[in-house]
Amino acid sequence: MDVAHCYLEGNADAVEFCPHDSYHHVLAASTYTLQEGDQPSRSGSVSLFNIDAEFGRLELGHRVDTAGIFDIKWSPAGSTAVPSLAQADADGYLRLYGLESGSSGAEALGGSLTEINAEKISSSMCLFLDWNPSATCISVGLSDGSISIISLRESQLDICQEWKAHEFELWSTSFDIHQPQLVYTGSDDCKFSCWDLRDSPSKLAFQNSKVHKMGVCCIAKSPSDPNLVLTGSYDEHLRLWDVRSIIKPVNETSICLGGGVWRIKHHPSVPGLVLAACMHNGFAVVKTKGEEPEVIETYSKHESLAYGADWQRGDLCRKGQNNGGSVVATCSFYDRLLRIWTTESNLVA
């Protein structure tokens, strides 16, 4: 069910609901716009919205103009006193913002972002980032195939490890939330890898180069099953991996979603439910429990590349116009469209 929509000022590529208590209504959306010419430039922005699906409300509260953004992520819930938003951008920077409660007007609804720190990671572009569960480290994937591990102490950012992990663009990096000494990476070289951070330089725990037929776009460890990792690929498949044997993970099963699987997000409270952004084929809600994964709902109201997707957290996630469904934010690239919608109620029954 559609709730609200708006158009951003640039090409929309990521949306992230704040997971912290008292801020579940806050949605961050980022953009990346390439200005071509003799001196090409990459510009972007982060916008904060106040979301109330019950009343169909989508209100812009604050915006920060910046370099072109490839990824944004909020710090994990409960890990920091003040919610922090990390940004990976085309200028090779990792930027960190603090969310401050606004005092008046629209900012009072969604708050505002204040830059805390910024670190030049590389002359290459920063494509993806992930926080470890304790918010003491951030992993960053780079366009030259490298990965950087950034330590975060008292808002100071320091590069503590960096190595060449892949041959081509490193589109995804993900900490294992149950074993945070492990970090997974995926790349345009079709390889799905895992690294052990206890060694310096980090030791390769495994690398699979045979299963994905095209580049690996996204990786997500299941929050409810410590043995399950999901990967998404340009080859249009969502794959489920059993990682009980970390040196030899098993690709148990997969499902074709009809478009490159750019993002996957686990439902915050329903185990085995996944939201997927499928590039040329819109968005899909996938049930991963049971013998075979199954698409149980699709959303096709976007007319451009489906890139950004996220679930709203907390009690608000089930207040979508009183139908009991979960609240979802999605965005698409070239049409610059941000949409808020709710799933069918029986998905979370």
Side-chain angles (χ1 to χ4, degrees):
M1 180 184 298
D2 290 320
V3 173
H5 72 274
C6 71
Y7 292 91
L8 303 182
E9 73 295 332
N11 298 334
D13 60 0
V15 288
E16 294 282 326
F17 274 109
C18 186
H20 294 254
D21 291 343
S22 302
Y23 295 97
H24 291 156
H25 63 287
V26 177
L27 174 73
S30 67
T31 67
Y32 169 96
T33 303
L34 174 62
Q35 302 290 341
E36 297 184 285
D38 294 336
Q39 294 182 320
S41 64
R42 297 173 173 87
S43 61
S45 64
V46 183
S47 299
L48 291 185
F49 292 90
N50 171 47
I51 308 296
D52 190 332
E54 190 170 8
F55 296 99
R57 186 175 298 145
L58 168 61
E59 297 178 335
L60 175 64
H62 183 71
R63 193 181 86 192
V64 177
D65 293 321
T66 179
I69 297 171
F70 283 98
D71 195 25
I72 51 173
K73 291 282 186 349
W74 292 102
S75 54
S79 61
T80 53
V82 176
S84 298
L85 184 72
Q87 164 190 314
D89 67 38
D91 285 352
Y93 274 85
L94 175 67
R95 297 185 185 275
L96 198 63
Y97 302 95
L99 178 61
E100 297 185 355
S101 299
S103 58
S104 62
E107 287 187 5
L109 299 172
S112 61
L113 293 173
T114 300
E115 185 171 304
I116 300 171
N117 207 333
E119 180 73 19
K120 178 76 169 180
I121 305 300
S122 173
S123 58
S124 299
M125 295 184 289
C126 294
L127 303 180
F128 193 90
L129 69 92
D130 190 42
W131 296 77
N132 71 345
S134 59
T136 56
C137 285
I138 298 174
S139 59
V140 179
L142 302 173
S143 60
D144 68 354
S146 299
I147 180 174
S148 290
I149 305 298
I150 315 301
S151 65
L152 175 62
R153 292 180 177 84
E154 298 180 353
S155 302
Q156 294 300 308
L157 301 173
D158 296 298
I159 302 174
C160 58
Q161 287 195 56
E162 185 172 294
W163 68 95
K164 183 78 169 179
H166 292 271
E167 298 171 42
F168 304 119
E169 287 89 344
L170 201 159
W171 288 120
S172 186
T173 169
S174 177
F175 282 100
D176 187 313
I177 55 179
H178 302 100
Q179 302 179 81
Q181 76 276 9
L182 301 177
V183 63
Y184 302 99
T185 57
S187 166
D188 256 359
D189 61 12
C190 307
K191 294 176 181 177
F192 169 42
S193 305
C194 180
W195 309 84
D196 192 330
L197 301 181
R198 290 172 296 186
D199 294 311
S200 186
S202 293
K203 181 181 178 181
L204 183 64
F206 75 77
Q207 186 171 81
N208 185 290
S209 59
K210 297 180 179 179
V211 171
H212 299 94
K213 306 308 179 188
M214 298 177 73
V216 181
C217 305
C218 53
I219 304 167
K221 180 73 182 287
S222 168
S224 58
D225 184 348
N227 299 320
L228 179 64
V229 173
L230 274 59
T231 61
S233 170
Y234 285 125
D235 67 14
E236 304 185 351
H237 282 78
L238 174 70
R239 291 180 171 85
L240 282 65
W241 296 81
D242 185 333
V243 294
R244 264 174 288 202
S245 174
I246 199 61
I247 60 173
K248 193 176 181 180
V250 177
N251 177 208
E252 288 193 314
T253 186
S254 67
I255 183 172
C256 180
L257 298 183
V261 184
W262 183 252
R263 286 289 181 271
I264 42 180
K265 296 290 184 68
H266 292 278
H267 194 284
S269 59
V270 182
L273 202 62
V274 172
L275 175 65
C278 305
M279 297 184 74
H280 293 284
N281 199 36
F283 299 87
V285 178
V286 183
K287 182 180 178 183
T288 60
K289 279 195 167 184
E291 292 185 5
E292 296 291 336
E294 175 189 6
V295 175
I296 54 177
E297 185 173 351
T298 60
Y299 187 79
S300 56
K301 298 294 183 67
H302 292 264
E303 296 182 357
S304 181
L305 289 171
Y307 270 172
D310 201 16
W311 307 93
Q312 192 170 31
R313 273 74 166 173
D315 293 336
L316 295 176
C317 79
R318 292 197 180 191
K319 289 186 177 179
Q321 297 187 348
N322 299 314
N323 77 334
S326 291
V327 179
V328 173
T330 51
C331 71
S332 44
F333 196 66
Y334 292 113
D335 59 2
R336 306 183 173 190
L337 181 58
L338 167 65
R339 285 188 174 273
I340 309 298
W341 50 281
T342 60
T343 61
E344 297 175 3
S345 59
N346 62 355
L347 300 186
V348 293

